Amino acid sequence: KTHRLLTVYNLYKYTCLLELFKINKLEEPLSLYSSFNRSPRREDYFITSQPSSQFIYQSSYMWNSCRQTSSKISFNTPTNGFKNTLKIALQELQFKHDTLDWCELNFATNKLKF
């Protein structure tokens, strides 16, 4: 914790959310972009399919969980700004609780605020 490094769990979340952001912002690659089902009523939300371990479901679910607590980020945000904001938010969440041991709250996506 003293070196402010992200754990593997949070690196996975960082990578999934960042890739989802870039795919939907840039609309590339088209094959992946077309796989995401965006909500027609709520901008910047996704309609998730059946629960699975696939990237489309996992990243959409994480994004929707984060969007429930954070409304500052949209697909109009610059990519570098999103990367920095996401990393800082994950670090704050990861280091928010017990200083010596990890707990589930260090990795709770629905508590992530960016």
Side-chain angles (χ1 to χ4, degrees), residues 12-78:
Y12 172 76
K13 290 174 186 174
Y14 175 79
T15 304
C16 281
L17 290 169
L18 181 59
E19 291 305 315
L20 174 138
F21 180 82
K22 291 191 309 191
I23 289 167
N24 283 279
K25 180 177 177 67
L26 304 173
E27 299 180 7
E28 294 179 351
L30 190 57
S31 58
L32 277 176
Y33 174 73
S34 62
S35 298
F36 287 97
N37 191 5
R38 290 178 84 164
S39 173
R41 290 185 292 157
R42 296 176 75 184
E43 191 175 313
D44 293 334
Y45 276 83
F46 295 94
I47 298 171
T48 55
S49 58
Q50 294 287 7
S52 71
S53 60
Q54 295 180 349
F55 170 73
I56 302 298
Y57 172 78
Q58 292 291 323
S59 59
S60 296
Y61 180 80
M62 275 190 263
W63 180 267
N64 289 344
S65 295
C66 294
R67 292 288 297 158
Q68 290 175 357
T69 58
S70 304
S71 59
K72 296 177 188 174
I73 298 295
S74 72
F75 292 115
N76 297 325
T77 305

Side-chain angles (χ1 to χ4, degrees), residues 6 33 44 54 100 106 108 111:
L6 291 174
Y33 174 73
D44 293 334
Q54 295 180 349
L100 297 176
N106 293 117
K111 304 283 188 211

Side-chain angles (χ1 to χ4, degrees), residues 74-98:
S74 72
F75 292 115
N76 297 325
T77 305
T79 305
N80 282 340
F82 179 74
K83 285 171 64 172
N84 292 334
T85 302
L86 179 59
K87 186 172 183 178
I88 290 168
L90 283 167
Q91 286 178 335
E92 285 176 4
L93 178 67
Q94 181 174 299
F95 301 119
K96 186 175 187 178
H97 302 284
D98 191 4

